[in-house]
Amino acid sequence: MLHGRTALVTGAGRGIGRAIAERLAADGALVAVHYARDDAAAKDTVATIEAAGGRAFPVRAELGTDGDLDALFAGLDDGLRAHDAGPELDILVNNAGISPQGGPEDTAPETYDRVFAVNVRALFFLTQRALPRLRDGGRIINITTGATRIALPEKIAYAMSKGAVEVFTRTLAQHLGPRGITVNNVAPGIIDTDMNADWLRGDPDAWAHAAAYSAFNDVGRPEDVAAAVAFLARDDARWVTGTTLDATGGSRL
């Protein structure tokens, strides 16, 4: 379905990003697996993709820091050349993000600034830099959150940053429509990832509480989000743009 196409997935060493990278590769895309610091996790993601017959390569860059995009695109171009691919992209998945705890009374300015630097500023300028190489008919998919629909005061800065991303998505979809490029969000709910392991897996009561958010009385898996991304990346989704695909499992309907 995605054979001959190239995808860049940010934050793809672990969790949801890894599942997205694996799914797009399984569907035939050459996948650039971006990550921030964990070399072992990124290499394992690439190795898993290759063992399944897919193609992928790692790209290291810590978003939200000086020189982040120069490092990312230099690594991207090195990886593309190594795979005899041109510089063009077909699919950009902006998944990388941070999600610190903090309510209205106790979110520190430095935490707020860091959240917006990674979740908004880096995403904006990474996308800006990718646009000249994104082929007409391409796909941009931004991973947001169910917390833009469901009020979670304990994650207010994170939710606000993702709200900004959703405005960016809608506006960019209008702007890129003439090129046939679709721009959409996928909004996960509570997902069983390593990031959530400490509080989610270690306490049956916590798992039950999290599951109760969903209409299915269950906790989502990274593969559930990856499936939504894979749909938006395909030709079948050519008439879907500027919207948010809710992948929260019907949380708090």
Side-chain angles (χ1 to χ4, degrees):
M1 290 176 283
L2 300 177
H3 295 285
R5 301 183 192 182
T6 300
L8 167 61
V9 182
T10 66
R14 301 169 56 192
I16 291 172
R18 174 174 178 151
I20 292 169
E22 291 179 356
R23 175 59 187 267
L24 296 181
D27 286 351
L30 167 63
V31 181
V33 175
H34 162 264
Y35 68 104
R37 291 187 296 269
D38 194 336
D39 294 292
K43 289 177 181 177
D44 187 62
T45 300
V46 171
T48 298
I49 288 171
E50 292 176 339
R55 297 193 303 155
F57 58 90
V59 176
R60 179 172 181 166
E62 186 168 355
L63 298 180
T65 63
D66 291 340
D68 53 355
L69 299 186
D70 289 338
L72 189 152
F73 281 93
L76 174 64
D77 285 333
D78 287 345
L80 291 172
R81 282 192 294 268
H83 285 79
D84 297 319
E88 296 83 9
L89 288 172
D90 300 283
I91 302 162
L92 170 61
V93 182
N94 286 308
N95 166 75
I98 57 174
S99 176
Q101 293 285 113
E105 294 87 2
D106 57 3
T107 296
E110 55 269 24
T111 299
Y112 180 96
D113 290 345
R114 177 64 178 158
V115 168
F116 274 79
V118 175
N119 295 2
V120 183
R121 188 180 190 277
L123 180 149
F124 182 100
F125 288 105
L126 189 159
T127 303
Q128 180 190 74
R129 192 150 166 178
L131 286 180
R133 62 170 74 201
L134 192 66
R135 290 188 178 98
D136 290 355
R139 302 286 186 264
I140 299 174
I141 303 162
N142 299 321
I143 306 304
T144 60
T145 175
T148 60
R149 175 174 63 81
I150 302 166
L152 296 176
E154 67 274 17
K155 285 188 174 289
I156 188 169
Y158 170 69
M160 288 171 63
S161 74
K162 293 300 188 177
V165 171
E166 293 186 2
V167 172
F168 175 68
T169 295
R170 185 168 60 251
T171 307
L172 196 63
Q174 174 69 36
H175 181 67
L176 295 178
R179 293 181 56 192
I181 297 171
T182 68
V183 190
N184 291 288
N185 304 307
V186 171
I190 300 174
I191 304 296
D192 183 17
T193 64
D194 291 341
M195 183 183 297
N196 291 330
D198 289 345
W199 70 271
L200 187 57
R201 298 179 191 168
D203 181 353
D205 291 337
W207 183 278
H209 176 75
Y213 273 75
S214 167
F216 302 117
N217 194 35
D218 200 0
V219 173
R221 301 167 300 164
E223 293 79 9
D224 297 323
V225 183
V229 172
F231 164 69
L232 291 173
R234 296 200 301 264
D235 291 340
D236 289 345
R238 63 168 292 274
W239 206 241
V240 180
T241 196
T243 193
T244 298
L245 180 51
D246 189 300
T248 67
S251 291
R252 290 195 176 175
L253 291 176

